[in-house]
């Protein structure tokens, strides 16, 4: 299974957040949504989780 990556550095924020979350898709969506709510003040919603899911990328693994 390919691990997924959510990287805060790809999105502008007032705090210049540098957090990167890597893991299985559901783990990353859950952790990234909790982070977005607690650190960035986004409302917790299904829409937020959907937006996060759309931005996930496959982990790039060095050979």
């Amino acid at each position: 299974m390919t691990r997924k990556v959510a990287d805060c550095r790809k999105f502008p924020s007032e705090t210049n957040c540098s957090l990167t979350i890597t893991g299985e898709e559901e783990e990353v969506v859950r952790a990234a949504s909790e982070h977005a709510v607690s650190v960035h003040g986004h409302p917790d919603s299904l829409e937020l989780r959907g937006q996060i899911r759309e931005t996930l990328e496959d982990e790039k693994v060095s050979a």
Side-chain angles (χ1 to χ4, degrees), residues 22-44:
T22 305
E24 293 183 12
E25 184 170 334
E26 291 307 314
E27 294 173 319
V28 174
V29 170
R30 182 178 62 247
S33 63
E34 290 172 3
H35 171 74
V37 170
S38 66
V39 174
H40 298 291
H42 292 282
D44 188 13

Side-chain angles (χ1 to χ4, degrees), residues 4-5 7 9 14 17-18 22-24 30 32-33 42 49:
K4 298 292 183 178
V5 177
D7 189 343
R9 295 173 297 180
E14 293 175 2
C17 186
S18 65
T22 305
E24 293 183 12
R30 182 178 62 247
S33 63
H42 292 282
R49 287 185 279 288

